[in-house]
Amino acid sequence: MQRCLQIAANALGNIAPNPMVGCVIVHQGKIIGEGFHANYGEAHAEVNAINSVKDKSFLPESTLYVSLEPCAHHGKTPPCSDLIIKSGIKKVVIASIDTNALVSGKGIEKLKTAGVEVVAGVLEKEARELNKRFFTFHEKQRPYIILKWAQTADGFIDSKRKNNNEQPLQISSENSKLLLHKWRSEEEAIMVGTNTARLDNPQLNVRLVNGTNPIRIVLDKNLELSQNLNLFDDLQSTFVFNSVKNEKINNLEFISIDFLNDVLKQVINILHERQIQSLIVEGGSKLLQSFISANLWDEARVFISETFIGDGVAAPKLNAQPLSIENSATDKICFFRNFPTF
């Protein structure tokens, strides 16, 4: 099962809204086949694992290990539970039940009805952690939310600036920026507030690594942001939440919401409707603090440099202790979790 989880992780960033799944087939103590779900719409892990077995006559005497309950419905591909039954495999070991309403126990039920022995719950905690985005989406009816910011040693995320002619304070090291772009490639959407878009003019892409650009999200209540900003370059899908209009122009989509009511809830609900399973929020301080105050977060990843500036824009206040601390060049990275995550 550890091998199932290991190979399943290869698909991070490539298969949403599907979960990451790995499958291993064992015959007399030896792995004779394995596979993972590599890309959305393509063959599932069980299919790839069964197809990888050279001598199919071994299958009836083999055990199939899979990190998530096999599907029992027709989606982009046929049900994996049907293929397992057809292959003659008599025992299936599962890490976690699939809590997607389309599956949730139906795959196990179909296998048992066909006479297949099923063992569930092996490394379940680890399997749920691997697919934390998927499980949060289906169980909490919202994306998995990651907060990210960089702050100085004395607790500031920027100097006090009035316009975009003043350069933002460079807090993170180059190594940290590379890591940040890797993180961006792993999530489906990335969000900033109006001031961050105006003052920092971010690109919010993954130009420093190979990977898929996330959907860019910005709040612009009265559509006052300059169309010359990088966010409007039409190079990747971008949502502009505003109070003025609904309109889609190529990769740019304006989405109207009611700014007199709970803005974050409206945004999160729309992302859920769009099947977006994960969101990384990069700032600024006001937007990040609003997510914290609403208890609308699952992880926080905070870069802390050795720099002292004495005064500036205060970093968000997170009433939690770091789960772990790592070092990246001159930065310290604190990782927080808002338990229970799902």
Side-chain angles (χ1 to χ4, degrees):
M1 191 61 75
Q2 288 176 334
R3 178 61 180 166
C4 289
L5 297 175
Q6 182 183 36
I7 60 176
N10 290 328
L12 180 59
N14 294 329
I15 59 159
N18 284 357
M20 291 174 279
V21 183
C23 181
V24 167
I25 299 173
V26 176
H27 179 262
Q28 295 182 356
K30 294 182 179 180
I31 293 177
I32 61 170
E34 64 180 30
F36 66 97
H37 183 28
N39 292 289
Y40 177 67
E42 296 182 2
H44 287 190
E46 299 93 325
V47 175
N48 289 330
I50 290 173
N51 287 342
S52 74
V53 176
K54 294 180 179 179
D55 189 343
K56 300 296 192 291
S57 67
F58 288 162
L59 290 175
E61 300 173 352
S62 300
T63 298
L64 182 145
Y65 293 81
V66 64
S67 57
L68 189 71
E69 176 184 3
C71 60
H73 67 288
H74 284 270
K76 292 278 186 180
T77 59
C80 292
S81 53
D82 288 353
L83 178 63
I84 294 170
I85 294 167
K86 183 179 179 180
S87 74
I89 291 171
K90 297 296 190 296
K91 183 175 181 180
V92 174
V93 180
I94 299 167
S96 177
I97 306 300
D98 188 339
T99 54
N100 180 351
L102 291 173
V103 183
S104 197
K106 298 182 180 68
I108 291 176
E109 180 182 359
K110 181 177 281 191
L111 291 172
K112 287 184 175 180
T113 300
V116 178
E117 179 187 354
V118 178
V119 178
V122 177
L123 296 185
E124 180 179 15
K125 181 179 178 181
E126 292 83 353
R128 285 179 63 83
E129 173 65 23
L130 174 69
N131 277 310
K132 56 193 176 185
R133 300 162 182 83
F134 176 81
F135 286 116
T136 297
F137 181 83
H138 287 287
E139 296 174 17
K140 289 191 172 183
Q141 305 299 300
R142 64 163 176 80
Y144 188 85
I145 299 171
I146 300 169
L147 309 181
K148 174 271 165 186
W149 71 87
Q151 68 181 60
T152 61
D154 50 352
F156 299 101
I157 65 169
D158 197 1
S159 55
K160 292 182 178 179
R161 294 179 289 145
K162 295 182 179 179
N163 57 66
N164 56 8
N165 292 325
E166 302 176 61
Q167 291 298 311
L169 180 67
Q170 296 299 315
I171 297 175
S172 301
S173 68
E174 291 304 315
N175 282 350
S176 294
K177 290 178 183 177
L178 193 65
L179 178 59
L180 170 59
H181 281 237
K182 179 178 179 296
W183 288 346
R184 288 177 179 177
S185 73
E186 296 170 352
E187 311 309 331
E188 289 190 74
I190 184 169
M191 183 177 185
V192 294
T194 310
N195 283 335
T196 297
R198 178 173 60 87
L199 293 174
D200 293 358
N201 193 18
Q203 298 180 59
L204 303 184
N205 58 23
V206 297
R207 60 193 178 277
L208 300 183
V209 300
N210 292 321
T212 303
N213 286 322
I215 297 170
R216 299 182 294 204
I217 298 172
V218 63
L219 297 177
D220 186 12
K221 179 181 178 182
N222 298 316
L223 295 182
E224 297 174 341
L225 290 173
S226 169
Q227 294 298 296
N228 293 322
L229 293 174
N230 290 322
L231 290 178
F232 303 108
D233 60 15
D234 204 36
L235 295 178
Q236 66 200 78
S237 183
T238 303
F239 297 166
V240 183
F241 286 94
N242 68 94
S243 63
V244 179
K245 65 179 181 179
N246 287 301
E247 185 179 12
K248 191 174 190 306
I249 308 169
N250 298 322
N251 279 327
L252 182 62
E253 185 170 358
F254 296 90
I255 303 172
S256 178
I257 60 174
D258 181 3
F259 276 76
L260 295 178
N261 287 311
D262 191 333
V263 170
L264 295 188
K265 184 176 181 180
Q266 293 177 75
V267 170
I268 294 305
N269 286 345
I270 290 171
L271 296 185
H272 183 264
E273 291 170 4
R274 301 286 184 99
Q275 298 290 303
I276 296 170
Q277 292 189 0
S278 64
L279 170 68
I280 183 166
V281 183
E282 286 204 14
S285 186
K286 182 178 179 181
L287 180 64
L288 287 161
Q289 193 64 57
S290 66
F291 274 92
I292 295 169
S293 298
N295 197 32
L296 199 59
W297 65 283
D298 298 289
E299 287 185 38
R301 302 171 182 178
V302 183
F303 291 92
I304 302 177
S305 76
E306 298 176 347
T307 306
F308 286 82
I309 63 172
D311 189 22
V313 179
K317 306 297 181 185
L318 191 64
N319 187 24
Q321 294 298 315
L323 184 69
S324 62
I325 299 175
E326 297 179 6
N327 291 310
S328 172
T330 59
D331 299 330
K332 178 172 67 175
I333 313 173
C334 295
F335 294 90
F336 301 83
R337 292 292 289 270
N338 190 11
F339 292 106
T341 54
F342 38 74

